[in-house]
Amino acid sequence: MKINKKLYSVASVLTVIVLFLILVSSTASAQTEIDHHNIDPPEITSGTGNTSDDQVLSEDVSTEGNSTDTESIQAATPSIPKTRITTHETASNPDIYGDKIVWQDNRNGNWDIYIFDLSAKTEIHTTNLTDQTAPAIYENLVVWEDERNGGHDIYVEDLSTKTQSRISKNGEAHNPSIYGTKIVWQDELNGSSNIYMYDLSTKKETQITTSGTAYKPDIYGNRVVWEDERDGNEDIFIYDLSTHKETRISTSGKADNPRIYGNRIVWDTRYDYPSEIYIYDLSTHKETRISDGISYKPDIYGNKIVYEDNRNDVTGNTDIYMYDLSTNKETMITFEDLEDPENNPYQVDPAIYGNRIVYTKRYPQGDIYMATLVYSPVAVFSASPTSGNAPLKVKFTDKSTGSPTSWKWSFEDGKTSTSKSPTYTYSKAGKYTVSLTVKNAAGSSTKTIKNYIVVNALKAPAAAFSATPTSGKAPLNVQFTDKSTNSPTSWKWSFGDKTYSTAKNPVHKYSKAGKYTVSLTVKNAKGSNTKTISGYIKVQ
């Protein structure tokens, strides 16, 4: 859910500045955990299917015949390269999904919706003579608030078909959000504000709230969250579409700007001062404060929460911060110019998807930037098989984390590879130590496993076989199975009826009655061996 920045009050910024001047604030991150025993959220399956983004500094770890190393791994601060997406200084309010960034832009004299595809490096837009604001994106669907009909309605465009559809028709719709085929928004019809939902798959509109005081909805899966001012307080509520149950999440009466991802809801306390970021875990029923600055407008993806914060500048300039729930570590994403503090811009409107954070640089409008979180990789690999007779063909599989961009394998016999997941053949007997070094822009990591590959000396094969069935009426089809040891490389079968085969496991048809003697000769580089069984196959 994105908030319409065009309607954002400049007076609120000035208020923050004045209050900041009279407040002694701490820059340390706080972890205050509150167990809300009196809150009974809907029954929700815990977990979102996302792995944590724990990363490590460069290291060289050796283990004996073991492909894991959990010791001496430490969390690393990512490098954060920035990419400027727009250059017109007319953009604000970005959102991101996958490789697509969406924002509102008034370079044409009114607000339009623009989309940039990072993979294709192309920009498209949905121009209109009236304002289009507050965009949000999910896969190929972009929603926004549109004034083309004289009021404020919600529109959606399918980027794959380039078709637009009008979703709301009351002329008082604001702040849309989208997940899958479901779109939610606040509708201020008749002087009250309620949350509505439209399902593109069923073409059905549903009213979620009846309080008349509900604002700023967000949606994830079957859960809708919003800020509600009922009872004279501002708290976060959730509605479960599957159980039709509404639950109050926050109890402070000062909660605003909710966002939801999986089982986690985040919000700020903008109605209090200093504003802080809170998170509520629906699976544990626990609320935690994660910031201790002057923090606003959070967004969440997986274990990462991003937000605005102006703790560092008495002039009210704002930076973007990120908090990683998997490491309990806060990272400053944008940085102020300490040598030229008067020219520091507002950096606001953060949105996150994966390891990409988009935001607006300068306020009330400026350009869209993207910060990419790049972590040092952690080298991890496996191999199959790890033992056998020479020559032994081994498939190595890279399982490193942190998105490495280069690989270097050492197989200990003097040979190396720069492939991601190479296949290598060991020709001589011995125990081989394998190492993998991975790198990316943030650093490198090496994993070494001593005596990982065990190659046995090649011996002459010992012929052995079985057959089924070994008796029956003609015509009789018999499956022969090689069970020879020491890795033969060729086979020669004699079926006793003057017919032969060089297949490893042949099927042979006996057409006439009789007793047949079967023999198998196997060979490899070290020699050959023959196994003969007299009268083995009996055909009636």
Side-chain angles (χ1 to χ4, degrees):
M1 181 274 298
K2 304 297 295 181
I3 307 304
N4 189 344
K5 298 301 184 299
K6 190 180 73 164
L7 303 178
Y8 189 88
S9 173
V10 175
S12 64
V13 176
L14 295 176
T15 300
V16 168
I17 296 171
V18 173
L19 289 171
F20 186 84
L21 290 170
I22 63 173
L23 176 72
V24 178
S25 63
S26 168
T27 60
S29 175
Q31 278 272 292
T32 305
E33 194 170 79
I34 307 166
D35 192 353
H36 281 199
H37 297 290
N38 61 329
I39 296 179
D40 181 22
E43 292 295 325
I44 298 172
T45 303
S46 63
T48 63
N50 285 7
T51 57
S52 74
D53 291 309
D54 293 352
Q55 305 295 338
V56 302
L57 295 168
S58 301
E59 25 88 39
D60 190 341
V61 181
S62 297
T63 57
E64 179 90 22
N66 190 337
S67 63
T68 61
D69 56 40
T70 57
E71 297 180 357
S72 73
I73 294 181
Q74 299 176 343
T77 299
S79 65
I80 312 173
K82 313 294 194 305
T83 304
R84 187 175 182 177
I85 303 300
T86 69
T87 58
H88 294 78
E89 297 185 352
T90 54
S92 64
N93 206 11
D95 196 15
I96 182 170
Y97 187 98
D99 287 331
K100 295 182 178 67
I101 302 171
V102 61
W103 68 93
Q104 64 188 55
D105 198 308
N106 70 352
R107 70 182 69 169
N108 302 308
N110 62 281
W111 293 105
D112 291 309
I113 304 302
Y114 278 73
I115 303 104
F116 186 80
D117 190 320
L118 293 165
S119 58
K121 297 181 180 179
T122 56
E123 181 183 88
I124 61 174
H125 56 90
T126 63
T127 57
N128 194 277
L129 295 178
T130 54
D131 286 335
Q132 301 172 98
T133 56
I137 184 170
Y138 184 90
E139 294 183 345
N140 281 320
L141 298 174
V142 178
V143 295
W144 65 86
E145 181 180 329
D146 198 300
E147 298 181 20
R148 73 181 68 177
N149 301 301
H152 295 260
D153 283 309
I154 306 304
Y155 275 73
V156 61
E157 176 167 331
D158 188 327
L159 299 177
S160 59
T161 61
K162 299 180 180 179
T163 56
Q164 294 185 14
S165 302
R166 183 181 180 183
I167 300 303
S168 70
K169 298 179 181 179
N170 292 328
E172 292 292 345
H174 306 277
N175 293 325
S177 183
I178 182 170
Y179 185 92
T181 61
K182 299 181 177 70
I183 302 169
V184 293
W185 69 93
Q186 70 186 57
D187 202 304
E188 299 178 5
L189 183 65
N190 299 323
S192 62
S193 182
N194 282 301
I195 307 304
Y196 284 76
M197 183 191 75
Y198 186 85
D199 193 324
L200 294 168
S201 62
T202 63
K203 298 182 180 180
K204 182 181 178 181
E205 180 180 284
T206 303
Q207 184 173 345
I208 303 297
T209 70
T210 58
S211 65
T213 53
Y215 306 91
K216 304 175 184 177
D218 194 26
I219 183 169
Y220 186 96
N222 282 322
R223 305 178 192 115
V224 181
V225 296
W226 67 93
E227 179 246 318
D228 204 306
E229 297 181 4
R230 67 183 71 173
D231 305 323
N233 293 310
E234 294 85 14
D235 278 308
I236 307 305
F237 285 73
I238 186 171
Y239 184 82
D240 192 315
L241 296 168
S242 58
T243 63
H244 307 292
K245 182 180 179 181
E246 178 187 276
T247 305
R248 183 193 297 260
I249 296 299
S250 70
T251 58
S252 68
K254 300 174 181 179
D256 191 22
N257 294 319
R259 296 282 283 166
I260 182 171
Y261 186 94
N263 289 326
R264 292 162 171 161
I265 304 169
V266 295
W267 65 88
D268 63 38
T269 56
R270 183 179 167 213
Y271 292 104
D272 195 11
Y273 190 86
S275 179
E276 295 163 341
I277 306 300
Y278 283 79
I279 183 170
Y280 185 85
D281 192 319
L282 293 163
S283 60
T284 63
H285 300 188
K286 288 185 177 180
E287 178 184 294
T288 305
R289 189 183 76 219
I290 66 166
S291 75
D292 196 22
I294 307 175
S295 308
Y296 303 94
K297 300 188 185 72
D299 194 21
I300 181 171
Y301 184 93
N303 287 316
K304 298 181 178 68
I305 303 168
V306 292
Y307 43 92
E308 302 175 13
D309 196 297
N310 67 345
R311 73 184 73 172
N312 300 306
D313 197 316
V314 294
T315 64
N317 290 337
T318 305
D319 280 299
I320 307 300
Y321 279 74
M322 179 192 74
Y323 190 89
D324 192 327
L325 295 166
S326 63
T327 62
N328 294 331
K329 183 177 181 180
E330 185 181 64
T331 301
M332 189 176 184
I333 301 300
T334 62
F335 298 90
E336 297 189 40
D337 185 353
L338 299 180
E339 295 181 358
D340 190 12
E342 293 185 359
N343 289 326
N344 281 323
Y346 291 104
Q347 302 180 100
V348 296
D349 307 340
I352 183 170
Y353 185 94
N355 281 343
R356 291 168 171 163
I357 301 166
V358 292
Y359 57 94
T360 305
K361 188 172 183 178
R362 298 197 181 277
Y363 180 84
Q365 60 193 26
D367 279 310
I368 305 304
Y369 280 73
M370 179 180 72
T372 303
L373 306 173
V374 182
Y375 293 89
S376 297
V378 183
V380 183
F381 64 89
S382 65
S384 181
T386 56
S387 63
N389 293 330
L392 182 64
K393 188 176 183 180
V394 180
K395 172 65 175 178
F396 292 94
T397 303
D398 171 59
K399 294 185 176 181
S400 304
T401 60
S403 302
T405 55
S406 69
W407 300 261
K408 185 174 182 180
W409 298 82
S410 175
F411 305 115
E412 201 195 11
D413 60 354
K415 300 296 178 63
T416 61
S417 174
T418 56
S419 298
K420 180 179 180 180
S421 297
T423 298
Y424 185 72
T425 300
Y426 290 89
S427 57
K428 296 180 181 180
K431 293 182 178 181
Y432 295 91
T433 295
V434 179
S435 68
L436 168 64
T437 298
V438 292
K439 295 181 180 181
N440 65 15
S444 66
S445 170
T446 297
K447 170 76 175 182
T448 300
I449 307 179
K450 292 182 178 179
N451 302 325
Y452 188 34
I453 306 300
V454 179
V455 183
N456 302 316
L458 185 64
K459 299 179 180 179
F465 63 88
S466 65
T468 184
T470 56
S471 63
K473 295 182 178 180
L476 182 65
N477 287 321
V478 180
Q479 170 69 65
F480 291 93
T481 303
D482 171 57
K483 294 188 174 181
S484 305
T485 58
N486 297 332
S487 304
T489 56
S490 70
W491 299 263
K492 184 175 181 180
W493 297 83
S494 174
F495 300 118
D497 58 356
K498 298 182 180 181
T499 60
Y500 308 91
S501 175
T502 57
K504 182 178 181 180
N505 298 304
V507 175
H508 182 66
K509 180 189 287 187
Y510 289 91
S511 302
K512 297 180 181 180
K515 293 183 179 181
Y516 296 91
T517 295
V518 179
S519 66
L520 169 63
T521 298
V522 290
K523 296 181 180 180
N524 66 17
K526 286 294 184 178
S528 64
N529 184 248
T530 298
K531 171 77 173 182
T532 300
I533 305 178
S534 298
Y536 189 36
I537 305 301
K538 301 175 181 64
V539 183
Q540 300 171 3

